[in-house]
């Protein structure tokens, strides 16, 4: 509890530093100040106190769930945790977060829990019930291999890639989103969501690691078709595209989790920035970097003055609507990467400063789950607005990307070596 009190005091100071360091008469927002900087923004929170907080929260979480196979998804004010099974699309984020804590602390006591919450997902390598197996296995097994080079993880990564590729429809050029493969013959359309770009990292890793160009061919086709069909002229994105499964013609461009079909859903934008970053990292094809930059610029233009995005930039309730901390965390990760990839000093500074700014403002008492009853890190994410589920709450993928952003900000994220 003393650690939490100390952190709260430091966070309160950090908030003041963030918002009131500028002359109030200028009425310059934090975002404006960052975009006008000629030097790189710095972390404005106490890193050691934050580490203590992270360890404290996940120690509580591990004690609650034990060593079973029910994976934490949400933490509640009554002290309970909502758990899910291994077939949930979010099942890989908890193990991935534990790997990140191991990387952050260098403490070997985090190895065993990271391994446990990774290896319970072993059956997912054959699972045909959902497209998100790339998320599920790469966030867990992928990070585990990245940090330990455990050779026993490689067959799982390869088989998951094989299973994921069964969803590729050559007539369309993308991987099928949603639905069990056994049901595909009865589905009227071939759906693809913008989130699916994140599954491509598994395929690109596997293509290089196993000398399997078929994986990268499918990933490239999916990325190219998504760029053609999901990205609007203003570089916002559609969440879902329905294709004719026989000839690949676009049937409908729409949303599933955004405000409306034509709106700018914040988390969808961050998936796109991150996804095209990844494709550029692996291919070095400039078209992917250019696209990531355009989508990032659009995203930054629409950010509010304190940077943390509204869940959908076109919600007419703004500013009296919800923020999405998960989108902020994902964006911070993606923009850190983009700042390293771009060969342009002005853009490098812009992306770096917004990435740090997002991390700074997520690391405040407004967004961190500092109340003792919580067993998570970040509050105030929006999962599925239209179904009214996980609204203004904590979700395990927000923690995962927040930890990743922190590692990148500290310069201790170890890039994968094939």
């Amino acid at each position: 509890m003393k650690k939490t009190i100390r952190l709260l005091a430091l966070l309160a100071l950090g908030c003041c530093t963030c918002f009131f360091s500028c002359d109030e008469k200028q009425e310059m927002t934090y975002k404006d100040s960052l975009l006008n900087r000629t030097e790189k923004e710095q972390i404005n929170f106490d890193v050691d106190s934050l580490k203590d907080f992270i360890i404290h929260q996940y120690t509580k979480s591990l004690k609650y769930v034990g060593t079973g196979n029910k994976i934490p998804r949400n933490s509640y004010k009554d002290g309970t945790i909502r758990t899910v099974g291994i077939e949930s699309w979010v099942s890989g984020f908890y193990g991935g977060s534990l790997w990140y804590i191991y990387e952050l602390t260098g403490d070997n006591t985090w190895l065993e829990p990271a391994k446990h919450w990774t290896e319970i997902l072993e059956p997912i390598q054959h699972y045909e019930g959902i497209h998100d197996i790339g998320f599920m296995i790469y966030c867990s097994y992928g990070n585990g291999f990245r940090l330990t080079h455990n050779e026993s993880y490689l067959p799982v990564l390869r088989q998951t890639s094989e299973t994921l590729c069964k969803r590729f429809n050559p007539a369309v050029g993308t991987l099928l989103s949603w639905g069990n493969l056994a049901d595909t013959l009865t589905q009227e359309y071939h759906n693809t969501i913008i989130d699916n770009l994140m599954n491509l990292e598994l395929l690109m890793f596997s293509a290089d690691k196993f000398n399997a160009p078929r994986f990268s061919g499918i990933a490239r086709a999916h990325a190219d078709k998504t760029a053609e069909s999901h990205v609007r002229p203003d570089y916002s994105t559609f969440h879902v595209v329905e294709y004719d499964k026989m000839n690949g013609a676009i049937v409908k461009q729409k949303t599933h989790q955004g405000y409306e079909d034509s709106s700018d859903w914040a988390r969808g934008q961050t998936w796109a920035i991150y996804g095209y970053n990844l494709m550029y990292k692996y291919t070095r094809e400039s078209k992917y970097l250019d696209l990531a930059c355009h989508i990032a610029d659009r995203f930054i233009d629409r950010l509010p003055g304190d940077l943390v995005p509204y869940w959908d930039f076109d919600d007419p309730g703004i500013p009296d609507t919800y923020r999405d901390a998960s989108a902020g965390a994902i964006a911070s990760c993606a923009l850190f990467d983009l700042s390293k990839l771009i060969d342009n000093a002005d853009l490098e500074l812009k992306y770096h400063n917004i990435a740090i700014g997002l991390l700074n403002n997520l690391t405040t008492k407004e967004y961190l789950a500092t109340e003792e009853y919580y067993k998570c890190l970040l509050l105030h994410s929006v999962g599925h607005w239209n179904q009214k589920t996980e609204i203004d709450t904590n979700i395990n993928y927000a923690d995962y990307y927040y930890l990743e952003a922190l590692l990148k900000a500290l310069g201790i994220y170890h890039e994968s070596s094939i």
Side-chain angles (χ1 to χ4, degrees), residues 342-416:
I342 193 72
D343 186 20
N344 178 300
D346 290 338
L347 288 179
E348 177 187 351
L349 182 66
K350 174 183 179 179
Y351 298 146
H352 171 89
N353 283 353
I354 297 298
I356 287 283
L358 279 163
L359 186 62
N360 280 340
N361 276 3
L362 291 174
T363 311
T364 61
K365 62 182 180 180
E366 182 175 359
Y367 288 97
L368 287 185
T370 51
E371 292 88 350
E372 187 62 21
Y373 42 74
Y374 284 123
K375 301 172 179 68
C376 61
L377 303 181
L378 275 192
L379 303 176
H380 305 309
S381 291
V382 174
H384 201 313
W385 171 265
N386 293 318
Q387 291 185 358
K388 302 303 178 190
T389 58
E390 296 181 313
I391 306 298
D392 194 29
T393 189
N394 60 84
I395 312 175
N396 67 1
Y397 53 81
D399 282 10
Y400 175 88
Y401 288 105
Y402 175 77
L403 287 165
E404 182 180 315
L406 178 62
L407 289 168
K408 290 176 175 178
L410 295 175
I412 59 176
Y413 181 88
H414 298 83
E415 291 291 343
S416 179

Side-chain angles (χ1 to χ4, degrees), residues 42 57 68 91 136 179 184 252 308 345 381 404:
Q42 302 296 316
Q57 295 302 93
S91 63
M136 297 151 77
T184 54
K252 188 173 184 181
V308 182
S381 291
E404 182 180 315

Side-chain angles (χ1 to χ4, degrees), residues 279-325:
M279 289 303 297
Y280 178 70
K281 276 186 185 180
Y282 280 97
T283 68
R284 295 293 158 172
E285 292 187 23
S286 61
K287 64 181 179 181
Y288 296 129
L289 182 61
D290 291 345
L291 191 53
C293 288
H294 283 304
I295 299 170
D297 290 341
R298 164 77 181 190
F299 179 83
I300 292 169
D301 283 347
R302 303 212 71 187
L303 286 176
D306 65 357
L307 296 180
V308 182
Y310 293 101
W311 75 277
D312 190 302
F313 293 117
D314 292 307
D315 183 340
I318 291 172
D320 299 317
T321 190
Y322 299 108
R323 305 299 184 107
D324 186 356

Side-chain angles (χ1 to χ4, degrees), residues 269-285:
Q269 292 293 97
T270 66
W271 293 141
I273 302 166
Y274 202 134
Y276 285 112
N277 278 353
L278 291 172
M279 289 303 297
Y280 178 70
K281 276 186 185 180
Y282 280 97
T283 68
R284 295 293 158 172
E285 292 187 23

Side-chain angles (χ1 to χ4, degrees), residues 33-41 345-346 349-350 353:
S33 72
L34 291 175
L35 293 176
N36 283 284
R37 295 276 174 88
T38 57
E39 72 286 340
K40 288 188 174 181
E41 172 72 332
D346 290 338
L349 182 66
K350 174 183 179 179
N353 283 353

Side-chain angles (χ1 to χ4, degrees), residues 1 4 52-66 72 75-76 79-81 94 98 101 110 369-377:
M1 180 63 76
T4 300
D52 288 343
F53 169 71
I54 290 166
I55 291 167
H56 183 61
Q57 295 302 93
Y58 270 74
T59 298
K60 289 188 294 183
S61 175
L62 286 169
K63 183 177 180 180
Y64 184 95
V65 295
S75 175
Y76 298 130
T80 63
I81 290 177
Y94 190 67
L98 295 171
I101 295 172
W110 292 94
T370 51
E371 292 88 350
E372 187 62 21
Y373 42 74
Y374 284 123
K375 301 172 179 68
C376 61
L377 303 181

